[in-house]
Amino acid sequence: MFALVDCNNFYVSCERVFQPRLANVPVVVLSNNDGCVVSRSAEAKALGIRMGVPLFQVRPLIEQHKVQVFSSNYALYGDMSYRVMSYLASVVPEVEIYSIDEAFLGLHGMERYLIQPESFAQKVRKQVMRRTHIPTCVGIAPTKTLAKLANYLAKKTVAFNGVVVLDSVERQWWALRQVPVEEVWGVGRQYGQKLRAMGLNTAADLAGCSEAWARKHMGGVVGARLVRELQGKPCHQLHPSEDGTLARKSIACTRSFGRPLSKFDDLLGAVAAFTSRAAEKLRAQDSTAYIITVFIGQNRFGPTPPPYTHSAQITLPAATNSTPDLVRAARALLVRLWQPGLVYKKAGVILDGLEGHGQPQLSLFEQLPEVQRPQSAALMRKLDQLNSRFGPNCVRVATAAVAGPKGTPAPWLGQKRLCSPERTTSWHELWEIG
DNA sequence: TCTGGGGTCCTAGGACCC
DNA sequence: TCTGGGGTCCTAGGACCC
């Protein structure tokens, strides 16, 4: 059995923890650059504000109903997530952190302690609320896909009080009949439309299909597994998260710019800054990478015909996590991509081919000229320590522009006008009482 | 005027090898 | 006219997720 614990409207809930005035009023949190709505309180959903809608499209609605609007505050959300996950890890032996606001708990072998799965789930909800003030819902079922489905029903129907347990075949089929087919985990827009067109309207309709049918119409083994999981036959194992973090297989840093950019040096400033950030994330999970991709993109909503983005990739002679190495490679890629006269709106850096540290590898530095040889690991460790202690970008490579001349913001930096304080991660912004 | 960011897994097709 | 079969690796692209 799996339990899926999902935090309700997580970003909005995080904002509410430190601002009680936000309770029971419509609240939304925006994506980077204050572009789209990515988290909504129940009250905001009731106003018809859709997930992912561009802010400018709902501006009138927001003003009319005095919706409280926040830029995203990832320092706060990341820290609150860590607190929730740490508690969950203390309750069961195995937790898989699935995303910033969701975790699967492995209940295998715990059945003898779980005479009442409902009361176990209610205890978890109550404790998460007491310790973090974050509301959650819990779905319990024999497969991950059914646990997601149970969680969906727990969120949707107030009468269930935040918990749905599907521990019998009868309950599973009852639940499958309640859920529209596009709400099934793994059914997105494309398949949703296709299934509806074929007359399959509920999760139960899909669960009634054969594996062979799913293999043919829903992307091969992915579809076959999906149907099996709906039928209560587990195909997805629990992947327990070691040390309470997620080890990524690729690491990216991509951003839309605050304004369109054309000059090579402006693009380079952005790409170097993104590369530095990606390298920090890489070192934070103690990995190295040997494949780096850079892309730059024009305004995809503008008159430019597709493709809007161009990318280039290189395989490094050896895996590295050194910022100067990676920035040097990124710069070479940008030289290949940048075209004079074009107006760019976005850029990104993606690191692939991640390896854990301690695996044998050749040293890249042996192949570089003497002048380029950094003091490698020790230097990077020091850099990360300084930035952690004195604030992001306190120390950085010279090309990574985070500020323009005379303290103006770097030209690529976007909007973030409505950000709440870093209540839990910055000494300067701690909660003040009295 | 304004339109996010960061991930995963799978498939198909080409190059290449024995 | 005949002109194998199977395996691996790589890349591009699709679909999905939060």
Side-chain angles (χ1 to χ4, degrees):
Chain A
M1 294 286 269
F2 298 93
L4 176 65
V5 182
D6 191 332
C7 301
N8 307 350
N9 319 325
F10 183 59
Y11 298 167
V12 164
S13 295
C14 290
E15 298 294 345
R16 281 179 166 167
V17 170
F18 294 93
Q19 303 185 75
R21 68 180 177 89
L22 300 178
N24 306 312
V25 303
V27 183
V28 299
V29 174
L30 304 177
S31 65
N32 216 303
N33 222 0
D34 292 348
C36 298
V37 172
V38 293
S39 182
R40 307 158 295 157
S41 71
E43 299 80 5
K45 289 176 191 173
L47 292 174
I49 299 174
R50 298 189 325 276
M51 181 65 177
V53 71
L55 175 61
F56 74 90
Q57 286 180 9
V58 286
R59 194 74 91 173
L61 208 53
I62 280 174
E63 278 160 21
Q64 187 191 340
H65 294 95
K66 299 197 166 28
V67 178
Q68 302 297 303
V69 182
F70 294 89
S71 303
S72 40
N73 183 346
Y74 286 105
L76 176 67
Y77 311 151
D79 186 62
M80 293 305 293
S81 173
Y82 180 77
R83 294 170 189 224
V84 172
M85 299 303 171
S86 300
Y87 167 69
L88 296 179
S90 76
V91 186
V92 291
E94 293 191 321
V95 175
E96 174 182 340
I97 299 173
Y98 179 69
S99 71
I100 194 165
D101 65 348
E102 275 175 73
F104 287 102
L105 315 187
L107 304 183
H108 308 274
M110 290 187 67
E111 283 79 0
R112 53 189 292 203
Y113 304 105
L114 294 178
I115 298 138
Q116 283 292 342
E118 280 93 346
S119 53
F120 165 76
Q122 290 295 358
K123 180 195 128 191
V124 169
R125 294 183 70 223
K126 194 174 157 191
Q127 286 296 318
V128 172
M129 177 58 86
R130 191 173 75 79
R131 289 154 193 257
T132 65
H133 287 228
I134 298 289
T136 53
C137 287
V138 182
I140 294 180
T143 69
K144 283 183 165 180
T145 308
L146 285 174
K148 289 282 286 188
L149 193 122
N151 194 283
Y152 169 84
L153 288 172
K155 259 184 291 194
K156 209 78 183 170
T157 310
V158 182
F160 294 143
N161 205 12
V163 175
V164 167
V165 179
L166 303 179
D167 54 0
S168 73
V169 176
E170 292 72 28
R171 288 192 188 198
Q172 284 159 32
W173 280 99
W174 170 84
L176 288 163
R177 284 194 295 274
Q178 311 306 308
V179 177
V181 74
E182 48 278 295
E183 299 297 338
V184 171
W185 193 40
V187 176
R189 225 185 47 224
Q190 308 285 328
Y191 288 142
Q193 282 175 12
K194 185 171 167 178
L195 294 171
R196 286 274 182 181
M198 296 169 116
L200 301 170
N201 297 307
T202 68
D205 294 338
L206 185 55
C209 292
S210 74
E211 248 181 271
W213 182 91
R215 194 178 288 271
K216 186 169 171 195
H217 293 103
M218 295 190 71
V221 311
V222 182
R225 286 204 278 252
L226 200 166
V227 166
R228 283 182 67 90
E229 285 250 320
L230 285 178
Q231 295 167 348
K233 305 166 195 160
C235 298
H236 299 298
Q237 295 177 320
L238 192 82
H239 301 290
S241 312
E242 292 157 35
D243 71 13
T245 60
L246 258 185
R248 300 295 190 181
K249 295 175 178 173
S250 76
I251 285 176
C253 181
T254 71
R255 290 277 183 288
S256 295
F257 306 143
R259 60 179 173 82
L261 299 177
S262 288
K263 285 190 281 186
F264 178 84
D265 284 349
D266 286 344
L267 272 292
L268 177 61
V271 167
F274 301 167
T275 308
S276 304
R277 179 69 194 118
E280 280 173 17
K281 294 192 210 173
L282 191 63
R283 295 192 294 270
Q285 72 165 52
D286 205 19
S287 290
T288 56
Y290 64 88
I291 298 168
I292 177 168
T293 306
V294 170
F295 72 82
I296 51 179
Q298 299 174 267
N299 184 1
R300 69 195 163 105
F301 298 101
T304 326
Y308 312 108
T309 65
H310 293 96
S311 70
Q313 183 178 83
I314 48 174
T315 300
L316 300 169
T320 181
N321 62 16
S322 140
T323 299
D325 285 345
L326 292 165
V327 169
R328 198 153 39 236
R331 184 188 203 284
L333 290 168
L334 183 64
V335 168
R336 268 155 63 181
L337 292 171
W338 178 79
Q339 292 178 263
L342 292 190
V343 178
Y344 297 103
K345 195 69 175 69
K346 176 172 188 171
V349 176
I350 303 158
L351 305 177
D352 284 292
L354 270 52
E355 295 174 350
H357 252 258
Q359 288 178 266
Q361 48 194 268
L362 299 169
S363 169
L364 172 62
F365 315 128
E366 288 167 8
Q367 301 172 38
L368 293 172
E370 182 72 19
V371 285
Q372 292 183 353
R373 184 182 297 178
Q375 303 308 305
S376 81
L379 176 63
M380 288 302 106
R381 233 184 340 266
K382 209 69 210 170
L383 181 120
D384 290 335
Q385 280 169 8
L386 287 169
N387 284 333
S388 160
R389 181 156 176 197
F390 295 107
N393 302 308
C394 168
V395 185
R396 61 179 190 274
V397 295
T399 37
V402 293
K406 297 178 194 162
T408 56
W412 57 267
L413 273 177
Q415 302 293 331
K416 206 161 190 163
R417 280 184 253 191
L418 307 158
C419 203
S420 56
E422 287 182 30
R423 289 294 186 206
T424 63
T425 53
S426 168
W427 288 113
H428 307 109
E429 300 181 354
L430 285 185
W431 194 237
E432 286 177 42
I433 295 169

